[in-house]
Amino acid sequence: MTTAEPILYNPFEPGYFDDPYSQFARLRELDPVHATLDGNWMLFRYDDCFRVLRDPSLSVDDRNIRQSRKAEQLEALRVEDRGEPSMLGLDPPDHDRLRRLVSKAFTPRSIEALRPRVQVLVDRALDRVEPDGHIDLVGDLAFPLPFQVISEMLGMPEADMLQVRDWSNQMVKTLDPVISDDEIRASMAASLAMQDYLGGVISWKRENPADDMLTALIHAEEDGDRLTTTELMSQVALLFIAGHETTVNLIGNGTRALLRHRDQWDALVAEPALIMHGIDELLRFDPPVQISRRIALADMEIDGRRIEAGTFMATVLASANRDPAKWGPTADRLDLNRADAGQHLSFGSGVHYCLGSSLAKLEGQVAIGTFVRRFPHATLDDVPARWNGRINLRGLDALPITLR
Ligand code: HEM
């Protein structure tokens, strides 16, 4: 290919789900600061993503977006007021106030205290499938584990997991860079159903307070200076959805990567403690969230390209994580011993750096570490990968594995 050929980001290119990385490599080399047809920009290099994510002059608040086809499309199909954004869609100081309210529950220390409970849940899940000699690693472990953990942390009632899974599945589609009108309608209907459901949960929790995050947030709401009712709702929805829609991909994609790189799997079998550090390499190699975002509030320049105020910029974390300018010639190799793997951008960077990163890593370490230890001879079934169809939260719907 020559530089004269136009190159376009195209998530519908055949084979994209199996391997988005070769397209990212082309874009990173030929057009790393990339204008999309619908008025957005995409950044493919590590340094650009890193700088933009940490730039305090940029916004995450969608209300600042101008001239984006997707933003117009979302606006045109909106079925009711959008309510308050969650902390992920708010800039300081509102962002900081909301983040402070829940951050205590997410310190590395509070999270480490959950390790024994997570181990129990993983052991139980694996005990259940062991007699069959077979597992769907996503349906039997990667999805239910984070769902159960975040439900317990929040203090949710026993939920109809499949129904909730279906709603959040539709809702997170709006995080994709390209989305159809039908998908937007389905997402908005799911979002309303989820709001109804969470509204019911919050009323129930008012009657049944306990030592959990939901009760703490309700108290903050009752002390009206700290949290409004709509803010309460969006914090709960964010924690609940972010708590399970992402970690499922870490466990699913991570296990698949190891089974497809048998030398790394064997290294983990030989040295189980390697998972403690190796989890960062799994996050780097095939990130559960492929893209984050910032919005320009004033005209700016990146690499000589002029970005206008109100422009949506997608920071392609999954491309940054494979940028040879950052990682050297081994950028595309899975290496659990990579010394600087922890510098991946899979959790974003700056003030919005993932609040749940310690929790996600803990769940990944226990789930993948225990699976490898118990089933060292496991093999992937010889079937095509079943991707979930999401461009951003790219992961598997199922991962069938024979245990021995
Ligand atoms: C492997 C799993 C996970 C990945 C890859 C991930 C990734 C991310 C990313 C990329 C961001 C945006 C950061 C930025 O733009 O700078 C984010 C924010 C966030 N994540 Fe996660 N996440 C994961 C798990 C979790 C879990 C388990 C929770 C909590 C229960 C969580 C809660 C949040 C919250 C609350 C934010 C917003 C933080 C803020 O705006 O200050 N995440 N996450």
Side-chain angles (χ1 to χ4, degrees):
M1 181 178 291
T2 71
T3 45
E5 282 178 58
I7 173 158
L8 268 185
Y9 170 69
N10 176 14
F12 303 109
E13 184 179 78
Y16 181 90
F17 276 98
D18 278 328
D19 172 27
Y21 299 100
S22 45
Q23 191 179 132
F24 296 156
R26 286 200 306 278
L27 282 152
R28 209 169 42 230
E29 198 185 325
L30 299 176
D31 195 22
V33 181
H34 178 73
T36 66
L37 293 178
D38 57 357
N40 302 327
W41 288 79
M42 299 184 84
L43 306 177
F44 288 95
R45 286 194 297 223
Y46 185 94
D47 282 353
D48 291 335
C49 290
F50 184 74
R51 244 181 305 115
V52 159
L53 287 167
R54 300 176 70 83
D55 185 339
S57 74
L58 303 177
S59 175
V60 291
D61 190 332
D62 285 345
R63 292 169 295 194
N64 292 316
I65 303 177
R66 307 276 173 272
Q67 63 203 340
S68 152
R69 190 181 116 64
K70 184 179 150 194
E72 284 164 15
Q73 201 188 358
L74 284 167
E75 204 47 56
L77 294 170
R78 195 169 294 291
V79 282
E80 64 163 30
D81 279 348
R82 72 175 78 189
E84 288 291 316
S86 69
M87 72 180 96
L88 186 57
L90 283 172
D91 299 323
D94 279 337
H95 162 267
D96 306 355
R97 176 174 56 86
L98 295 182
R99 183 160 170 139
R100 251 194 318 272
L101 283 173
V102 285
S103 54
K104 213 169 58 188
F106 287 97
T107 58
R109 198 158 169 202
S110 318
I111 294 303
E112 196 49 41
L114 298 175
R115 191 175 288 273
R117 174 66 183 153
V118 174
Q119 186 68 58
V120 166
L121 294 172
V122 170
D123 287 339
R124 273 190 207 152
L126 296 180
D127 287 348
R128 268 196 295 272
V129 295
E130 187 164 17
D132 301 340
H134 196 264
I135 187 173
D136 163 15
L137 192 100
V138 172
D140 295 329
L141 180 65
F143 184 79
L145 175 71
F147 188 89
Q148 178 80 24
V149 171
I150 193 63
S151 298
E152 288 183 7
M153 283 177 80
L154 280 163
M156 308 281 279
E158 286 285 315
D160 178 348
M161 196 170 73
L162 291 179
Q163 174 62 78
V164 173
R165 182 182 191 177
D166 191 46
W167 289 329
S168 64
N169 195 10
Q170 317 261 12
M171 287 169 71
V172 297
K173 254 319 235 182
T174 56
L175 297 173
D176 281 356
V178 188
I179 178 168
S180 72
D181 284 358
D182 281 348
E183 284 169 332
I184 293 182
R185 285 191 195 96
S187 162
M188 288 183 179
S191 165
L192 289 180
M194 182 74 103
Q195 271 176 27
D196 274 355
Y197 169 73
L198 290 178
V201 168
I202 289 168
S203 309
W204 171 83
K205 184 54 72 175
R206 281 191 214 281
E207 305 299 314
N208 300 277
D211 181 15
D212 55 40
M213 248 194 299
L214 213 50
T215 306
L217 286 168
I218 289 171
H219 285 155
E221 182 238 8
E222 283 162 357
D223 174 16
D225 283 347
R226 295 194 291 160
L227 198 63
T228 67
T229 305
T230 41
E231 283 174 341
L232 166 66
M233 200 74 168
S234 37
Q235 296 328 292
V236 175
L238 171 67
L239 291 169
F240 189 43
I241 295 174
H244 71 277
E245 284 292 354
T246 50
T247 312
V248 54
N249 295 345
L250 169 59
I251 300 172
N253 298 0
T255 305
R256 178 171 181 267
L258 286 168
L259 285 167
R260 286 160 53 93
H261 295 80
R262 203 70 202 196
D263 61 323
Q264 297 301 297
W265 173 276
D266 291 342
L268 207 48
V269 172
E271 190 192 344
L274 188 54
I275 192 64
M276 299 304 285
H277 171 79
I279 198 73
D280 273 313
E281 174 67 352
L282 295 173
L283 279 156
R284 181 193 75 86
F285 187 76
D286 204 9
V289 177
Q290 300 246 308
I291 301 172
S292 194
R293 52 203 276 281
R294 295 294 184 266
I295 298 147
L297 291 180
D299 292 356
M300 60 187 285
E301 235 185 60
I302 303 179
D303 198 31
R305 313 291 299 264
R306 184 156 175 279
I307 315 256
E308 286 178 16
T311 301
F312 180 96
M313 289 177 278
T315 50
V316 187
L317 313 173
S319 171
N321 282 356
R322 300 282 194 106
D323 184 351
K326 163 72 184 167
W327 308 97
T330 63
D332 281 322
R333 192 178 305 157
L334 180 69
D335 173 7
L336 296 180
N337 283 302
R338 187 183 299 275
D340 56 358
Q343 292 176 22
H344 62 72
L345 293 185
S346 301
F347 291 125
S349 197
V351 295
H352 293 278
Y353 182 82
C354 176
L355 182 66
S357 61
S358 302
L359 174 61
K361 283 167 69 162
L362 170 72
E363 291 177 349
Q365 286 162 343
V366 177
I368 299 175
T370 307
F371 185 68
V372 173
R373 187 165 41 74
R374 282 184 60 168
F375 305 110
H377 305 295
T379 49
L380 280 179
D381 286 4
D382 189 13
V383 291
R386 261 184 52 197
W387 296 105
N388 58 13
R390 299 180 197 163
I391 298 163
N392 193 351
L393 304 195
R394 172 179 160 276
L396 298 154
D397 262 347
L399 183 62
I401 294 175
T402 300
L403 297 176
R404 59 178 67 82

